[in-house]
Amino acid sequence: MLVGLVALPAREEAALRFYISRNMKGWRGEPVSFTRGVVLAQADVYVLDLAGAGLQRNLEAGDRDVASYLNGRPTVLLAPAFDTSWNGPESPLAQNAMIAVLNKPIRSEELRAALEGLARKAAAMPVAQPVSAPPSRQPESLGKPVLASVRLSAMPAVPVVDQGMQPPQSLPTDREVGLDAIRQRLERTAAQERPRFLGALLQALSGASAVEMRLTVNNVVIVDATDRWVASNTPMAVIERLCSSSALASVVNFRVLDDEDPLGRAHRLGLPVEPLEPFLARLEKASFGEKS
């Protein structure tokens, strides 16, 4: 049984491949290339990391993106720890028998049960029989085009037209800002004008997936760029002052958490976890002021 691993962080992908090969007899996990608008390579069941795939949390658009992209494939969706919108009662995905949603951090047995359950459901699905095409006729009016279903094969991935998928936004909204957008803005800013705190954060994350910022003895902020969350016990007003003052920013210490469990540490410290993008938008506005 082949498990296609889609858009997982490298460390999690390696751990999952090892777990599947060691604990699930006859199963193996292999990475599957992810590109929007490109058909996934053939697998029996998939594990897709929502944050790694860049799929938004917006319920209506996000559900449409995922349902259209997966096109009925049995898939375990890995959602960030803070994000319950994917498996909430309002989400149609929660009613989809071929989709299981797990929130990080995941337990190995929980994942195993989800994979095996989806594999059984997929095996029980009847094989679609070809049918004769009905006589063509001119429609009475033009409506939204209907997308033909895509049959998977073992051929390499090929581009397909998928109107259900939304292209990535070229510019961030005024409420959410991504790390890439901030990095590009810093690169366009003269070195002597770059905000020190924002630059130090981006530099720390350039070689790490998660970092801890120690502001004082008691105040700490954890940023996980992979799962896109931030945890903090520090008032936002204090963090915003760091953004506008190079002197204050110079006292912040950064520590890489790649060899630890960032979410577990946040829980141990009692830090509330929130989505990353709105937090970054506040940092950008505080750093660049009216230019944001």
Side-chain angles (χ1 to χ4, degrees):
M1 190 71 68
L2 176 61
V3 182
L5 307 177
V6 188
L8 272 75
R11 184 174 57 182
E12 294 179 20
E13 178 187 285
L16 192 51
R17 292 179 68 184
F18 177 78
Y19 172 80
I20 291 172
S21 64
R22 187 180 182 88
N23 297 282
M24 300 177 69
K25 186 176 180 180
W27 290 62
R28 77 180 195 278
E30 296 293 342
V32 171
S33 176
F34 173 82
T35 305
R36 285 176 177 267
V38 174
V39 177
L40 287 174
Q42 180 69 34
D44 297 298
V45 64
Y46 298 86
V47 175
L48 186 148
D49 188 287
L50 290 164
L55 295 167
Q56 299 301 311
R57 292 184 306 277
N58 177 274
L59 276 174
E60 180 180 354
D63 283 347
R64 186 175 63 247
D65 282 357
V66 174
S68 177
Y69 182 73
L70 297 178
N71 196 29
R73 305 175 184 94
T75 306
V76 176
L77 299 177
L78 304 183
F82 59 82
D83 190 353
T84 60
S85 63
W86 297 103
N87 52 2
E90 302 86 0
S91 172
L93 294 177
Q95 311 302 321
N96 191 324
M98 302 308 291
I99 291 177
V101 181
L102 302 179
N103 284 92
K104 293 184 175 183
I106 57 173
R107 298 191 302 272
S108 56
E109 287 307 310
E110 182 182 34
L111 177 62
R112 177 175 181 166
L115 288 172
E116 292 177 341
L118 288 174
R120 286 193 297 269
K121 291 177 183 178
M125 291 287 288
V127 179
Q129 299 297 322
V131 296
S132 301
S136 61
R137 63 184 180 87
Q138 184 68 24
E140 296 179 0
S141 62
L142 295 177
K144 184 177 180 180
V146 178
L147 297 179
S149 61
V150 178
R151 182 180 297 275
L152 290 178
S153 67
M155 297 294 290
V158 294
V160 295
V161 176
D162 190 347
Q163 295 183 12
M165 290 291 294
Q166 299 298 309
Q169 298 295 320
S170 58
L171 293 175
T173 67
D174 59 353
R175 299 180 62 185
E176 293 195 354
V177 176
L179 283 168
D180 287 341
I182 291 182
R183 185 175 291 107
Q184 292 169 11
R185 181 162 190 177
L186 287 174
E187 290 173 351
R188 296 194 302 267
T189 303
Q192 65 273 18
E193 297 179 1
R194 289 175 189 167
R196 181 167 184 170
F197 178 74
L198 202 55
L201 174 60
L202 269 291
Q203 183 177 3
L205 288 171
S206 63
S209 61
V211 298
E212 176 179 305
M213 295 180 281
R214 182 66 64 168
L215 311 183
T216 67
V217 174
N218 298 315
N219 291 100
V220 63
V221 179
I222 295 177
V223 174
D224 190 314
T226 300
D227 288 337
R228 291 172 23 195
W229 56 262
V230 60
S232 170
N233 62 356
T234 307
M236 196 64 206
V238 174
I239 300 175
E240 289 173 338
R241 285 201 294 274
L242 291 173
C243 294
S244 58
S245 171
S246 295
L248 291 176
S250 65
V251 304
V252 178
N253 292 318
F254 291 84
R255 186 170 72 89
V256 174
L257 297 179
D258 282 5
D259 294 331
E260 301 181 36
D261 175 12
L263 187 60
R265 178 160 179 76
H267 288 165
R268 288 194 299 274
L269 294 175
L271 308 180
V273 178
E274 299 178 357
L276 178 60
E277 287 81 0
F279 174 79
L280 292 176
R282 297 279 298 271
L283 296 190
E284 184 189 43
K285 186 176 176 102
S287 298
F288 292 97
E290 297 301 323
K291 297 178 182 179
S292 298

